[in-house]
Amino acid sequence: MQITHRTQDNVDVIDFSGRLVMGAPVTEARKKLLEVVEAGQAQVVLNLADVTFMDSSGLSVLVSALKATRTKNGDVVLLNLTVPVHSLIKLTRLQQVFKIFESEAAAIESFKEQ
Amino acid sequence: MQITHRTQDNVDVIDFSGRLVMGAPVTEARKKLLEVVEAGQAQVVLNLADVTFMDSSGLSVLVSALKATRTKNGDVVLLNLTVPVHSLIKLTRLQQVFKIFESEAAAIESFKEQ
Amino acid sequence: MKKLSLKINSDTENVELVTECVRALCLFTSLSQASVDGVQLAVTEAVNNVILHSYKGESSHPIWLTISLQDEYLTMSLSDTGVGMEPILLQADRSSVTEIEPDDVMRLDEGGRGLFLIKATMDKVNYHSDGGTHTLQMTKYFD
Amino acid sequence: MKKLSLKINSDTENVELVTECVRALCLFTSLSQASVDGVQLAVTEAVNNVILHSYKGESSHPIWLTISLQDEYLTMSLSDTGVGMEPILLQADRSSVTEIEPDDVMRLDEGGRGLFLIKATMDKVNYHSDGGTHTLQMTKYFD
Ligand SMILES: Nc1ncnc2c1ncn2[C@@H]1O[C@H](COP(=O)(O)OP(=O)(O)O)[C@@H](O)[C@H]1O
Ligand SMILES: Nc1ncnc2c1ncn2[C@@H]1O[C@H](COP(=O)(O)OP(=O)(O)O)[C@@H](O)[C@H]1O
């Protein structure tokens, strides 16, 4: 699990790469996401382009980050889902609460419209 | 293990595909090769382009076919080795007894020169 | 029928070893890529549950997975010797976790999707305990 | 250290299940493709030898392979309960099989390349028997 973080137009873009699964990867990812939400504007783009596999503990990280941003009137949106990650989101119907983008510019732009 | 056989200019071209390993694949391959050598001119091009993996029992099939052709003044030449098969041939130094080709035309042609 | 058994200790860092072996074995079947992803997800969730719930997060306990490749389906039997669970937890309809109220994100469950996902991706799932050994059996028919 | 054990019965059709799992586990290492091919060849030869020689070609006997992934190397321990072999067979220089006389093809050995290939592709190989269980241990350092 590798995590990078950059900020653009007050939006935090976080790139995860590797397997977002139970154990060290999920612990790390949760910590990083909550730190970023805490410190910033709670406007988060989560780039999952290089996440090859995710399990339900990965989903719980996404959901807890979503809740954390919403308490600050922000949001988490998802960018570039791989096929297995997209299937997981659809199976659990979480596309109802996460906006999903295929372009980073559009994902960042989405926060301006609000 | 799939095997196909065609004849061109009195040369038998045999295509193996799959894993040439101990058990049913090697038994089948040995049987087919010896049949072809028996029935034909003992001029055999063995196309290994689709052999993804071979073990030492696969090599023993090649060696026994080579011996069978030589008793009829023929030869077995190898065509299109995949990386792992080529490594295996080189490790065991069998390139000293098998001619190796990368073009089917050249492999077939090699029998005319004799 | 081809059959292989795997064993790991109940450490989260070993889970991916099992799931990658399962993925590799699926190459011997006619399963589509999407189905293989599903099988890999199911086995991940199932092994995670054993570590987290049956062994309460303790490492060094044994977990066995036996994979059989039949002509028309594969089965995976996952066994452990932890506390196990009531089979009713699996038999119950677990789809309520997908009934989401988009306007009330704060009430969204963070967990509770594992058994649902196992049932959603596999064709048959059952669970039984016998003399302290608990076994989750999962079957997937080829496409 | 990540560790996983595999078990199959001594049937030739199960060998590829083991070797594909080994290949999949090598993805967690920094081994080059050529080294992975070598590891896969070594484990194939070793399992074939157990089936053919230690179990005399009989199926239904157990074969265990334990794979440990360390930081700088992997080890594979292959165990069986067949007749085993004299360790000297492995310790002996096996490279004579590569001394080929191209003009005398009829004297070429058809077999006898398995142990040579295991030693050629792995960095350390040793064999011991203990209470009827025979173990071939193979180590490969990462490139
Ligand atoms: N293998 C298992 N052993 C013991 N309990 C289990 C097992 N699998 C599931 N459970 C129980 O079933 C519940 C639901 O599991 P699951 O749907 O995977 O969600 P989660 O693991 O996120 O709680 C768990 O909280 C646990 O109480
Ligand atoms: N695991 C084993 N158990 C018993 N005997 C073995 C084992 N491995 C090798 N041998 C013995 O060592 C000999 C050489 O083995 P090998 O180099 O693999 O060539 P081959 O299997 O073609 O004979 C075998 O013929 C057999 O007698």
Side-chain angles (χ1 to χ4, degrees), chain D residues 57-130:
Chain D
E58 291 172 17
S59 54
S60 323
H61 297 294
I63 301 177
W64 296 271
L65 181 73
T66 296
I67 300 130
S68 310
L69 305 179
Q70 310 279 350
D71 286 342
E72 291 173 2
Y73 60 92
L74 64 81
T75 61
M76 301 190 290
S77 290
L78 181 72
S79 298
D80 71 272
T81 56
V83 298
M85 68 170 169
E86 291 301 324
I88 187 76
L89 277 174
L90 182 71
Q91 287 150 19
D93 180 12
R94 313 230 26 119
S95 62
S96 64
V97 77
T98 64
E99 285 156 18
I100 289 171
E101 189 52 74
D103 296 330
D104 196 358
V105 161
M106 299 314 284
R107 288 178 57 192
L108 210 54
D109 286 323
E110 292 197 18
R113 293 181 178 81
L115 294 178
F116 166 75
L117 287 168
I118 294 170
K119 291 170 75 170
T121 53
M122 301 299 290
D123 293 318
K124 268 200 286 190
V125 186
N126 62 65
Y127 183 89
H128 64 270
S129 299
D130 188 7

Side-chain angles (χ1 to χ4, degrees), chain A residues 55-57, chain C residues 40-49 113-114 117-118:
Chain A
D55 63 15
S56 71
S57 74
Chain C
Q40 187 173 24
L41 181 61
V43 73
T44 302
E45 297 296 334
V47 177
N48 284 349
N49 276 348
R113 293 181 179 81
L117 287 168
I118 294 170

Side-chain angles (χ1 to χ4, degrees), chain A residues 56, chain C residues 45-46 49-50 52-54 80 83-85 89 94 111-116 127:
Chain A
S56 71
Chain C
E45 297 296 334
N49 276 348
V50 166
L52 200 62
H53 302 303
S54 197
D80 71 273
V83 299
M85 68 169 169
L89 277 174
R94 310 227 33 116
R113 293 181 179 81
L115 294 179
F116 166 76
Y127 183 89

Side-chain angles (χ1 to χ4, degrees), chain C residues 1 11 15 24 26 32 35 37 49 55 62-64 72-74 84 94 98-99 105 112 120 123-124 136 139 142:
Chain C
M1 193 220 13
D11 194 317
V15 178
C26 284
S32 67
S35 295
D37 288 344
N49 276 348
Y55 288 132
I63 301 177
W64 296 271
E72 291 172 4
Y73 59 91
L74 64 82
R94 310 227 33 116
T98 63
E99 285 156 17
V105 161
D123 293 317
K124 269 201 284 190
L136 181 73
T139 300
F142 302 152

Side-chain angles (χ1 to χ4, degrees), chain B residues 20-23 26 30 54-62, chain D residues 45 48 110:
Chain B
L20 187 50
V21 290
M22 194 174 94
V26 149
R30 183 185 303 269
M54 192 192 293
D55 64 15
S56 70
S57 75
L59 291 178
S60 68
V61 171
L62 268 49
Chain D
E45 296 296 336
N48 283 350
E110 292 197 18

Side-chain angles (χ1 to χ4, degrees), chain A residues 12-109:
Chain A
D12 292 296
V13 182
I14 299 180
D15 314 279
F16 285 163
S17 113
R19 297 164 182 256
L20 187 50
V21 290
M22 195 175 94
V26 149
T27 306
E28 241 180 278
R30 184 186 302 271
K31 183 161 167 283
K32 181 69 186 180
L33 268 173
L34 296 182
E35 271 171 23
V36 167
V37 174
E38 178 83 8
Q41 306 289 312
Q43 307 194 124
V44 179
V45 173
L46 201 52
N47 177 17
L48 302 176
D50 295 324
V51 174
T52 52
F53 185 66
M54 193 193 292
D55 63 15
S56 71
S57 74
L59 291 179
S60 69
V61 170
L62 269 47
V63 171
S64 72
L66 183 69
K67 290 183 180 180
T69 55
R70 291 293 174 90
T71 59
K72 290 182 76 175
N73 285 317
D75 202 6
V76 174
V77 304
L78 308 180
L79 176 61
N80 292 329
L81 305 185
T82 56
V83 171
V85 171
H86 206 170
S87 312
L88 179 62
I89 301 274
K90 283 186 288 189
L91 265 175
T92 52
R93 310 228 183 127
L94 286 168
Q95 80 279 16
Q96 294 176 77
V97 291
F98 288 105
K99 288 192 201 126
I100 299 171
F101 292 92
E102 283 167 14
S103 127
E104 184 170 316
I108 292 172
E109 194 65 27

